[in-house]
Amino acid sequence: MTTSRREQLVVHALPGTHGTTVTARTHELTIDETTRYGGHDAGANPVEHMLAGIAAASLVVVRLLGEVAIADSAVLTVSATLNVDRVMGADDGAVIELIRLDWEVANAAHAERLRAALPDLASRRPGQALIDAAATVAEEVSVRASATAGLWCAS
C-alpha cells in the first residue's frame, strides 16, 4: 500500500486600515469589503476570493485530468448568490443560495470532452465542499460564440 502525499497549506491574515492583508508563502493579497458593507473596496471580498479559488482549482484539475488544451483555452465564470442576511445572523437559509460554474470552450469537441470530465473534476476539485453546500448548483458548458459565429451561414 502506498501512502498519499499531503501538503500543509498556511495563510496568515492581518487586519489593516484598508482591509485584511493575507500572506500565502511570499504572495500578498488584500481582501476587503465594499463600502456598502463597511470596507474600503481595496480588494476583492472574501467570497470573491473563494470563487476565484474554485475557478483556478477547476482549471488546474482539468489540466491534471489530461485536458490541457481545454484548460489552456477555456473561460470559466464562477458566480454565486450570497445570502447576506444569513451572514449577518438574520436568516437561517443557506449561506450560498446558488453557485454557477459557466464554462466557455473553443469548440464542440472540447465541450463534449469537458462534459464527460465533469464528474471526475467534481470528485477531485479543491473547494468542491463549498459548491456542494450551496442550495442550488449549476455547472454548464457552452461553445464560445466566436467559435461558432460563421458556421450557420456556410453552405
Side-chain angles (χ1 to χ4, degrees), residues 27-94:
H27 307 285
E28 195 170 281
L29 303 132
T30 299
I31 301 174
D32 197 15
E33 287 291 348
T34 64
T35 54
R36 177 180 181 178
Y37 294 114
H40 295 83
D41 205 14
N45 71 38
V47 176
E48 291 164 332
H49 277 275
M50 288 190 295
L51 299 177
I54 288 170
S58 297
L59 289 166
V60 167
V61 174
V62 166
R63 179 179 297 282
L64 293 174
L65 291 171
E67 295 293 358
V68 175
I70 294 171
D72 286 348
S73 65
V75 174
L76 174 57
T77 302
V78 181
S79 59
T81 303
L82 178 67
N83 182 345
V84 176
D85 286 339
R86 170 66 186 266
V87 175
M88 298 297 189
D91 188 271
D92 61 0

